[in-house]
Amino acid sequence: MYEPKLITESYLKRWRKNSFFSAILWTIVGIILMLFHRDIDVITCYLVGVALLLQGVPHLFLFIIEEEKHIFSISSLVNGVFICFLGIWTLTIPRQADATVPDVIAIVALLHGLRDIALSRRILSLEKQLGYYSMAISFLTIFLALAVLFTPMRYDVLCAGVLIIIDGIGNFWMWKVLSKKSDEHRGI
Protein backbone atom coordinates (compact mmCIF):
# COMPACT_ATOMS: atom_id res chain seq x y z
CA MET A 1 0.00 0.00 0.00
CA TYR A 2 1.13 3.56 -0.74
CA GLU A 3 2.67 5.25 2.29
CA PRO A 4 2.26 9.03 2.02
CA LYS A 5 5.29 11.22 2.69
CA LEU A 6 4.64 12.98 5.95
CA ILE A 7 4.73 16.74 6.04
CA THR A 8 6.59 18.07 9.05
CA GLU A 9 4.32 18.87 11.95
CA SER A 10 5.65 22.43 12.28
CA TYR A 11 5.01 23.13 8.59
CA LEU A 12 1.52 21.65 8.83
CA LYS A 13 0.71 23.92 11.79
CA ARG A 14 1.99 27.05 10.02
CA TRP A 15 0.22 26.16 6.78
CA ARG A 16 -2.99 25.32 8.63
CA LYS A 17 -2.99 28.67 10.46
CA ASN A 18 -2.31 30.53 7.22
CA SER A 19 -4.98 28.56 5.35
CA PHE A 20 -7.58 29.08 8.07
CA PHE A 21 -6.84 32.81 8.08
CA SER A 22 -7.00 32.96 4.26
CA ALA A 23 -10.23 30.95 4.18
CA ILE A 24 -11.91 33.25 6.71
CA LEU A 25 -10.63 36.37 4.92
CA TRP A 26 -11.72 35.02 1.53
CA THR A 27 -15.18 34.14 2.87
CA ILE A 28 -15.64 37.63 4.38
CA VAL A 29 -14.64 39.29 1.09
CA GLY A 30 -17.06 36.96 -0.73
CA ILE A 31 -19.92 37.99 1.56
CA ILE A 32 -19.08 41.67 1.05
CA LEU A 33 -19.02 41.20 -2.74
CA MET A 34 -22.35 39.41 -2.62
CA LEU A 35 -23.94 42.16 -0.54
CA PHE A 36 -22.55 45.04 -2.63
CA HIS A 37 -22.30 43.38 -6.04
CA ARG A 38 -24.11 46.26 -7.76
CA ASP A 39 -21.81 48.95 -6.36
CA ILE A 40 -18.28 47.85 -7.17
CA ASP A 41 -16.03 50.87 -6.88
CA VAL A 42 -12.57 52.02 -5.82
CA ILE A 43 -13.20 51.06 -2.17
CA THR A 44 -14.12 47.53 -3.21
CA CYS A 45 -10.92 47.34 -5.27
CA TYR A 46 -8.90 48.46 -2.25
CA LEU A 47 -10.63 45.84 -0.12
CA VAL A 48 -9.87 43.09 -2.64
CA GLY A 49 -6.27 44.33 -3.04
CA VAL A 50 -5.63 44.33 0.71
CA ALA A 51 -7.26 40.90 1.05
CA LEU A 52 -5.01 39.56 -1.71
CA LEU A 53 -1.89 40.97 -0.06
CA LEU A 54 -2.94 39.62 3.34
CA GLN A 55 -3.33 36.26 1.66
CA GLY A 56 -0.22 36.34 -0.55
CA VAL A 57 2.51 37.58 1.79
CA PRO A 58 2.14 34.71 4.31
CA HIS A 59 2.39 32.23 1.41
CA LEU A 60 5.78 33.71 0.52
CA PHE A 61 6.98 33.49 4.11
CA LEU A 62 5.84 29.88 4.35
CA PHE A 63 8.02 29.01 1.38
CA ILE A 64 11.02 30.94 2.69
CA ILE A 65 10.99 29.39 6.18
CA GLU A 66 10.30 25.80 5.10
CA GLU A 67 13.47 23.70 5.01
CA GLU A 68 12.04 20.83 2.95
CA LYS A 69 10.64 21.78 -0.43
CA HIS A 70 7.57 19.78 -1.41
CA ILE A 71 4.44 20.33 -3.50
CA PHE A 72 2.75 22.42 -0.80
CA SER A 73 5.72 24.72 -0.22
CA ILE A 74 6.25 25.20 -3.97
CA SER A 75 2.55 25.94 -4.49
CA SER A 76 2.87 28.39 -1.61
CA LEU A 77 5.60 30.24 -3.51
CA VAL A 78 3.67 30.33 -6.79
CA ASN A 79 0.44 31.38 -5.08
CA GLY A 80 2.22 33.98 -2.96
CA VAL A 81 4.00 35.67 -5.86
CA PHE A 82 0.96 35.72 -8.12
CA ILE A 83 -1.52 36.75 -5.43
CA CYS A 84 0.78 39.56 -4.21
CA PHE A 85 1.17 40.78 -7.78
CA LEU A 86 -2.62 40.86 -8.25
CA GLY A 87 -3.06 42.59 -4.87
CA ILE A 88 -0.51 45.29 -5.68
CA TRP A 89 -1.99 45.76 -9.16
CA THR A 90 -5.50 46.11 -7.72
CA LEU A 91 -4.29 48.62 -5.12
CA THR A 92 -2.21 50.76 -7.47
CA ILE A 93 -4.72 51.18 -10.30
CA PRO A 94 -8.16 50.63 -8.76
CA ARG A 95 -9.96 52.63 -11.47
CA GLN A 96 -8.82 50.16 -14.14
CA ALA A 97 -9.08 47.17 -11.80
CA ASP A 98 -12.73 47.69 -10.86
CA ALA A 99 -13.93 46.15 -14.12
CA THR A 100 -11.68 43.13 -13.68
CA VAL A 101 -12.20 42.33 -9.99
CA PRO A 102 -14.28 39.22 -10.82
CA ASP A 103 -11.54 38.01 -13.18
CA VAL A 104 -8.82 38.62 -10.57
CA ILE A 105 -10.84 36.70 -8.00
CA ALA A 106 -11.48 33.89 -10.49
CA ILE A 107 -7.77 33.58 -11.29
CA VAL A 108 -6.88 33.34 -7.59
CA ALA A 109 -9.69 30.81 -7.00
CA LEU A 110 -8.43 28.82 -10.00
CA LEU A 111 -4.96 28.71 -8.42
CA HIS A 112 -6.55 27.60 -5.15
CA GLY A 113 -8.49 24.89 -6.95
CA LEU A 114 -5.34 23.56 -8.61
CA ARG A 115 -3.49 23.61 -5.29
CA ASP A 116 -6.46 21.91 -3.66
CA ILE A 117 -6.09 18.98 -6.06
CA ALA A 118 -2.69 18.27 -4.48
CA LEU A 119 -4.26 18.70 -1.04
CA SER A 120 -7.08 16.34 -2.04
CA ARG A 121 -4.59 13.73 -3.22
CA ARG A 122 -2.92 13.94 0.17
CA ILE A 123 -6.28 13.48 1.93
CA LEU A 124 -7.14 10.66 -0.49
CA SER A 125 -3.98 8.82 0.56
CA LEU A 126 -5.10 9.06 4.18
CA GLU A 127 -8.82 8.35 3.75
CA LYS A 128 -10.57 7.54 0.48
CA GLN A 129 -14.08 8.92 1.02
CA LEU A 130 -12.98 12.29 2.42
CA GLY A 131 -10.39 12.46 -0.36
CA TYR A 132 -13.11 12.07 -2.98
CA TYR A 133 -15.16 14.83 -1.32
CA SER A 134 -12.08 17.06 -1.30
CA MET A 135 -11.42 16.31 -4.97
CA ALA A 136 -15.04 17.19 -5.82
CA ILE A 137 -14.69 20.53 -4.01
CA SER A 138 -11.43 21.19 -5.88
CA PHE A 139 -13.01 20.51 -9.27
CA LEU A 140 -16.10 22.57 -8.36
CA THR A 141 -13.84 25.50 -7.48
CA ILE A 142 -11.95 25.15 -10.77
CA PHE A 143 -15.19 24.85 -12.77
CA LEU A 144 -16.74 27.92 -11.12
CA ALA A 145 -13.53 29.93 -11.56
CA LEU A 146 -13.44 29.10 -15.27
CA ALA A 147 -17.14 29.97 -15.56
CA VAL A 148 -16.55 33.40 -14.02
CA LEU A 149 -13.50 33.94 -16.27
CA PHE A 150 -14.93 32.83 -19.60
CA THR A 151 -18.67 33.35 -19.37
CA PRO A 152 -20.02 36.86 -19.78
CA MET A 153 -22.44 37.19 -16.89
CA ARG A 154 -24.68 39.97 -15.82
CA TYR A 155 -23.96 39.25 -12.17
CA ASP A 156 -20.26 38.37 -12.41
CA VAL A 157 -19.36 40.16 -9.14
CA LEU A 158 -22.10 38.24 -7.35
CA CYS A 159 -20.84 34.99 -8.90
CA ALA A 160 -17.26 35.87 -7.89
CA GLY A 161 -18.51 36.41 -4.33
CA VAL A 162 -20.19 33.00 -4.31
CA LEU A 163 -17.04 31.45 -5.83
CA ILE A 164 -14.72 32.73 -3.11
CA ILE A 165 -17.12 31.75 -0.36
CA ILE A 166 -17.14 28.19 -1.71
CA ASP A 167 -13.35 28.34 -2.13
CA GLY A 168 -12.83 29.68 1.40
CA ILE A 169 -15.15 27.23 3.14
CA GLY A 170 -13.87 24.30 1.05
CA ASN A 171 -10.26 25.18 1.81
CA PHE A 172 -11.01 25.53 5.52
CA TRP A 173 -12.70 22.11 5.55
CA MET A 174 -9.91 20.41 3.58
CA TRP A 175 -7.20 21.68 5.91
CA LYS A 176 -9.23 20.65 8.93
CA VAL A 177 -9.61 17.13 7.50
CA LEU A 178 -5.93 16.92 6.52
CA SER A 179 -4.83 18.06 9.97
CA LYS A 180 -7.07 15.54 11.70
CA LYS A 181 -6.15 12.64 9.41
CA SER A 182 -2.41 13.47 9.54
CA ASP A 183 -2.57 13.49 13.34
CA GLU A 184 -4.39 10.13 13.30
CA HIS A 185 -1.79 8.73 10.88
CA ARG A 186 1.00 9.89 13.20
CA GLY A 187 -0.80 8.37 16.16
CA ILE A 188 -1.33 11.70 17.88
Side-chain angles (χ1 to χ4, degrees):
M1 187 168 124
Y2 170 72
E3 183 70 26
K5 181 179 176 189
L6 296 178
I7 299 171
T8 62
E9 189 173 335
S10 63
Y11 183 79
L12 187 61
K13 283 182 182 177
R14 286 190 301 266
W15 187 281
R16 180 177 41 207
K17 285 179 188 174
N18 181 45
S19 294
F20 288 160
F21 171 73
S22 292
I24 290 168
L25 178 69
W26 215 222
T27 303
I28 290 169
V29 171
I31 291 169
I32 290 169
L33 287 176
M34 284 180 59
L35 293 175
F36 301 106
H37 68 277
R38 295 184 193 277
D39 302 319
I40 192 158
D41 59 3
V42 174
I43 294 171
T44 308
C45 290
Y46 285 136
L47 172 72
V48 170
V50 168
L52 290 170
L53 281 177
L54 287 174
Q55 189 177 40
V57 171
H59 282 290
L60 293 175
F61 284 119
L62 274 175
F63 177 80
I64 291 168
I65 62 175
E66 179 59 22
E67 293 142 11
E68 268 186 60
K69 303 303 180 209
H70 42 73
I71 188 71
F72 295 116
S73 64
I74 293 169
S75 78
S76 184
L77 173 67
V78 171
N79 275 322
V81 168
F82 195 67
I83 291 170
C84 284
F85 168 76
L86 289 174
I88 291 168
W89 176 73
T90 305
L91 285 170
T92 55
I93 51 171
R95 299 235 183 266
Q96 285 96 359
D98 68 348
T100 60
V101 163
D103 293 337
V104 168
I105 288 169
I107 290 168
V108 173
L110 182 62
L111 283 174
H112 287 176
L114 293 172
R115 182 206 55 216
D116 288 348
I117 288 174
L119 188 60
S120 297
R121 290 187 65 208
R122 177 85 176 131
I123 294 169
L124 190 62
S125 71
L126 296 169
E127 184 174 316
K128 295 283 186 217
Q129 186 170 0
L130 293 175
Y132 292 136
Y133 293 152
S134 298
M135 199 64 77
I137 292 169
S138 301
F139 285 123
L140 176 65
T141 301
I142 291 169
F143 174 76
L144 292 174
L146 291 172
V148 169
L149 273 174
F150 295 114
T151 307
M153 293 184 224
R154 184 173 175 195
Y155 300 104
D156 55 348
V157 175
L158 179 65
C159 293
V162 170
L163 167 63
I164 62 175
I165 289 171
I166 290 170
D167 182 32
I169 291 171
N171 202 310
F172 184 84
W173 178 80
M174 281 188 239
W175 274 102
K176 194 118 175 112
V177 167
L178 180 62
S179 298
K180 182 180 179 204
K181 294 301 169 186
S182 291
D183 288 348
E184 287 175 7
H185 187 73
R186 287 187 180 98
I188 298 174

